[in-house]
Amino acid sequence: MSHPSLTVNRLTHSIGAEISGVDLAAGVEPAVAKELVDLFHEHQVLFFRDQQLDDVSHRDFARNFGPLQHFAFLPPVSEDVPEVHAIDIDGAKPKTANADIWHSDATFLEKPPLGSMLRAVILPDVGGDTLWASMYAAYDALSSHVQRLIEGMTAVHDSSNSVSHARKTVNADYRPVHHPVVRTHPVTGRKALFVNKTFTTRLDGVTDRENESLLTMLTDHVRSPDFQVRFHWTPGSVVLWDNRCTQHYAVADYAGRRRMHRVVIDGDAPA
Ligand code: SIN
């Protein structure tokens, strides 16, 4: 049953809901937090507008969805709130963050994040939208022949393409990891396609030629608008996504500064 104060506006058939009727900075009661956790599992991405979060209330609200990581690949915004880091891009310079390639966050880890919560701090005048795609919908749209083909298959996820600068930051060697190509969400039980262009480098157990075609087909599948929702950020926007069943893409089409603060929620080994 829906909490009476919350209004839920679904944005597409397969992914995303805008939630209003809640003041995140004020802290949410346990009943509302439970409802939001259920909505998170149902819609995969939750959008909130006109919020007044600062770094502390951002962190505290995110804790309703699980323990937070000290994300090692970007520096914290302050020592007081080490869970919050910034993604700060000057649109006038060449963009180096690689967020304009479809991805789930940090799938090169044995335990990739459960999810992330991103908040707008400085926005460009125009542009800088973010898209999310449902990897449940992507999986469901594959033919039963391809679904059978990839069932039980694993793939290599490797940070070397995109976070070599971050590796230097943490001074650690992240070895490639193997994750299932089809992941079962631990809460909903739904199957999600779990390969992405940024970090998945090789399907296991197939020839090079097979890999070239099949991995490309699977990682490009996310591009269908049928699985996507696009969000235009405004001051006070906050977005929470489930990294286990979605991918996202930050459109690099802006000329001004774009600063976002993010927290990352701890995840499990995909199964
Ligand atoms: C990210 O890839 O986590 C950042 C997305 C964004 O900046 O919109």
Side-chain angles (χ1 to χ4, degrees):
M1 201 183 77
S2 182
H3 194 276
S5 71
L6 296 177
T7 303
V8 180
N9 180 24
R10 285 180 67 190
L11 299 184
T12 75
H13 183 74
S14 55
I15 182 168
E18 193 165 313
I19 310 295
S20 50
V22 60
D23 175 1
L24 304 182
V28 293
E29 302 162 21
V32 177
K34 185 188 174 312
E35 177 71 12
L36 290 171
V37 170
D38 290 345
L39 290 167
F40 171 62
H41 291 136
E42 185 178 348
H43 299 290
Q44 308 148 62
V45 188
L46 300 183
F47 302 97
F48 303 88
R49 290 198 184 271
D50 303 319
Q51 299 294 328
Q52 310 292 328
L53 291 179
D54 58 15
D55 292 325
V56 171
S57 51
H58 182 172
R59 175 200 63 194
D60 292 348
F61 175 58
R63 281 183 173 151
N64 287 299
F65 300 87
L68 306 183
Q69 281 183 9
H70 292 197
F71 194 68
F73 307 99
L74 288 166
V77 292
S78 78
E79 283 176 13
D80 297 340
V81 201
E83 300 89 347
V84 181
H85 53 268
I87 302 171
D88 194 338
I89 295 177
D90 177 353
K93 295 188 184 152
K95 308 209 179 34
T96 54
N98 284 339
D100 58 337
I101 301 173
W102 282 102
H103 65 285
S104 324
D105 289 331
T107 62
F108 56 87
L109 298 174
E110 291 281 358
K111 294 180 178 179
L114 177 156
S116 301
M117 189 181 292
L118 191 68
R119 149 178 149 248
V121 176
I122 299 172
L123 292 171
D125 290 343
V126 63
D129 293 357
T130 308
L131 289 86
W132 282 264
S134 169
M135 302 315 291
Y136 293 146
Y139 174 79
D140 291 346
L142 293 170
S143 70
S144 56
H145 295 290
V146 173
Q147 288 180 349
R148 277 198 298 276
L149 178 69
I150 61 176
E151 190 70 43
M153 203 178 258
T154 56
V156 179
H157 293 241
D158 188 350
S159 66
S160 55
N161 281 345
S162 43
V163 287
S164 49
H165 59 289
R167 276 184 183 197
K168 283 183 202 128
T169 313
V170 295
N171 195 22
D173 183 17
Y174 283 90
R175 292 172 191 282
V177 297
H178 300 257
H179 292 312
V181 170
V182 179
R183 173 175 194 174
T184 303
H185 194 287
V187 178
T188 66
R190 292 183 67 186
K191 290 183 179 181
L193 184 61
F194 196 66
V195 288
N196 68 84
K197 202 81 174 174
T198 304
F199 299 122
T200 315
T201 53
R202 185 74 168 80
L203 295 169
D204 292 317
V206 297
T207 66
D208 287 348
R209 279 186 64 194
E210 289 165 345
N211 178 65
E212 203 176 305
S213 300
L214 187 56
L215 183 59
T216 304
M217 188 277 282
L218 293 173
T219 52
D220 282 351
H221 191 48
V222 68
R223 292 182 177 188
S224 168
D226 294 5
F227 319 140
Q228 298 172 8
V229 62
R230 181 172 180 142
F231 186 68
H232 178 62
W233 296 89
T234 48
S237 296
V238 179
V239 180
L240 168 70
W241 66 88
D242 192 328
N243 203 50
R244 300 165 292 188
C245 56
T246 68
Q247 291 190 35
H248 53 283
Y249 180 111
V251 182
D253 63 345
Y254 49 94
R257 186 171 171 206
R258 182 178 184 274
R259 181 179 173 90
M260 315 297 271
H261 285 192
R262 192 176 72 168
V263 300
V264 171
I265 305 161
D266 255 342
D268 292 329

